[in-house]
Amino acid sequence: MLAAQAISQSATDPLSGLVVHDVEIPQPQPGWTLVRVAATSLNMHDLWTLRGVGHPADRLPIVLGCDAAGHDSDGNPVIVHPVIADSDAGGGDETLDPARALMSERYDGTFAEYVAVPRRNLIPKPDWLSFDEAACLPVAWTTAYRMLFTKAEIKPGDRVLVQGAGGGVASAAISLAAAAGAVVYATSRSAGKRTAAVRWGARLAVPTGERLPERVDVVIETVGAATWEHSLKSLRPGGAVVVAGATSGGDPSAALNRVFYLQQRILGSTGCTRAELVAMLRMMEATGVRPVIDRTMPLTDIHKGFQLMIDGTLTGKVVVHPSAPQP
């Protein structure tokens, strides 16, 4: 089968270690099954692997990709929950299992015509969701959902700031928060992405670092060092910053005086549970909110997709088709 593998890592030239070639079709272990991938999508996690961040070199080569929608071995349309873990080991939350792994971390990922996954990780794909839309959800959209509703517990009328509009998690957070009745503010250096943020439901989108018209209850933070000071200054006393990434750097000034004096809360968030993915699908059906797709491309063009991500020119997700669809 055709697959995109990471065979080496480079902090300065990450795409040099990405190859698209033929590999053996995976053989599922007991309790696992095979999924024919109809669509997958790119995530920053894949770039971090290629850069050698958080992924030991001794796990190479490995098929990249965390998201997948396709057909199970019986031909049923499914979405793949990307967290491989034991819920019991996490006290009922598989994301807290110390041995958890995202697809492509310890097991071959989804940038391939077929992927092997635990049967528990299969979720029926609703008819109202296309395969391309479904492929955007497992990582970016569920990350945003958990940040907003599990960690921050937002309510209708809450003020929410989303830093870095345009990325997969950020665009999902804007859409989901607005659909839940929150007043959403967004930031971006790009005028085009600020316009898109308003189209997705933000009340106002401002240049990165610009003062907001009011303080917010919650900040959705995936940018890191470049926006951290602005996030804390934009937060009301007692509010919460929910952190699920640090693309611009993970060591900003902690500003502890502000944090303790204003009783601000810093909440970490990683991945999602299977139950949260199911709950998000129910919300999407009820509200009509859908993923933002920048473009689609065949697996053979995956280098172009990652280069667009590196250049910061994407507005929404890049969806990849590993093979031609079956009749």
Side-chain angles (χ1 to χ4, degrees), residues 15-16 18-20 297 299-308:
L15 299 188
S16 64
L18 179 65
V19 297
V20 179
M297 59 181 56
L299 183 61
T300 49
D301 286 347
I302 196 169
H303 289 80
K304 298 177 183 177
F306 276 122
Q307 190 59 57
L308 291 168

Side-chain angles (χ1 to χ4, degrees), residues 131-201:
F131 282 104
D132 285 1
E133 290 169 334
C136 299
L137 303 181
V139 172
W141 274 65
T142 57
T143 294
Y145 182 90
R146 182 178 176 89
M147 293 173 80
L148 289 166
F149 302 108
T150 303
K151 294 294 184 175
E153 299 181 317
I154 70 164
K155 305 177 297 298
D158 278 356
R159 271 54 179 165
V160 177
L161 167 62
V162 179
Q163 297 281 18
V169 174
S171 63
I174 293 168
S175 299
L176 288 168
V183 174
V184 182
Y185 298 104
T187 69
S188 176
R189 293 172 296 176
S190 162
K193 292 180 181 181
R194 294 196 297 271
T195 299
V198 172
R199 188 167 65 246
W200 302 332

Side-chain angles (χ1 to χ4, degrees), residues 95-129:
T95 69
L96 298 178
D97 175 4
R100 76 179 188 275
L102 197 63
M103 295 297 301
S104 80
E105 289 183 343
R106 295 197 185 107
Y107 308 97
D108 280 331
T110 58
F111 292 161
E113 294 179 289
Y114 293 92
V115 62
V117 299
R119 292 185 183 277
R120 177 187 182 275
N121 288 56
L122 298 186
I123 294 170
K125 183 188 77 66
D127 293 339
W128 47 264
L129 199 63

Side-chain angles (χ1 to χ4, degrees), residues 10-313:
S10 170
T12 56
D13 187 14
L15 299 188
S16 64
L18 179 65
V19 297
V20 179
H21 59 180
D22 284 320
V23 301
E24 293 295 322
I25 294 176
Q27 300 300 313
Q29 57 186 286
W32 291 44
T33 189
L34 208 58
V35 172
R36 178 179 174 85
V37 181
T40 179
S41 69
L42 308 189
N43 289 288
M44 281 300 301
H45 184 276
D46 306 304
L47 271 180
W48 291 126
T49 297
L50 289 166
R51 286 172 172 152
V53 178
H55 191 102
D58 60 10
R59 293 183 188 169
L60 301 182
I62 195 164
V63 177
L64 293 182
C66 309
D67 294 328
H71 295 90
D72 66 13
S73 56
D74 296 320
N76 301 306
V78 294
I79 303 171
V80 176
H81 172 52
V83 179
I84 300 173
D86 180 354
S87 179
D88 290 339
D93 182 338
E94 57 258 45
T95 69
L96 298 178
D97 175 4
R100 76 179 188 275
L102 197 63
M103 295 297 301
S104 80
E105 289 183 343
R106 295 197 185 107
Y107 308 97
D108 280 331
T110 58
F111 292 161
E113 294 179 289
Y114 293 92
V115 62
V117 299
R119 292 185 183 277
R120 177 187 182 275
N121 288 56
L122 298 186
I123 294 170
K125 183 188 77 66
D127 293 339
W128 47 264
L129 199 63
S130 72
F131 282 104
D132 285 1
E133 290 169 334
C136 299
L137 303 181
V139 172
W141 274 65
T142 57
T143 294
Y145 182 90
R146 182 178 176 89
M147 293 173 80
L148 289 166
F149 302 108
T150 303
K151 294 294 184 175
E153 299 181 317
I154 70 164
K155 305 177 297 298
D158 278 356
R159 271 54 179 165
V160 177
L161 167 62
V162 179
Q163 297 281 18
V169 174
S171 63
I174 293 168
S175 299
L176 288 168
V183 174
V184 182
Y185 298 104
T187 69
S188 176
R189 293 172 296 176
S190 162
K193 292 180 181 181
R194 294 196 297 271
T195 299
V198 172
R199 188 167 65 246
W200 302 332
R203 173 173 291 185
L204 178 68
V206 302
T208 302
E210 186 171 297
R211 186 171 182 172
L212 302 180
E214 60 180 330
R215 288 190 174 180
V216 299
D217 303 289
V218 173
V219 179
I220 299 300
E221 176 63 82
T222 60
V223 179
T227 55
W228 186 252
E229 182 180 0
H230 182 254
S231 291
L232 294 182
K233 288 181 176 179
S234 300
L235 193 63
R236 68 162 174 82
V241 179
V242 188
V243 185
T247 56
S248 67
D251 294 304
S253 169
L256 293 179
N257 289 338
R258 176 181 292 275
V259 171
F260 81 74
Y261 188 72
L262 297 179
Q263 302 184 68
Q264 296 174 332
R265 293 170 292 141
I266 314 299
L267 306 174
S269 188
T270 296
C272 80
T273 65
R274 186 185 189 279
E276 285 167 335
L277 175 49
V278 172
M280 186 184 71
L281 290 172
R282 290 171 60 85
M283 177 186 176
M284 292 176 68
E285 181 182 21
T287 61
V289 66
R290 297 293 183 271
V292 178
I293 297 175
D294 185 282
R295 68 193 69 198
T296 64
M297 59 181 56
L299 183 61
T300 49
D301 286 347
I302 196 169
H303 289 80
K304 298 177 183 177
F306 276 122
Q307 190 59 57
L308 291 168
M309 183 179 287
I310 292 170
D311 295 341
T313 57

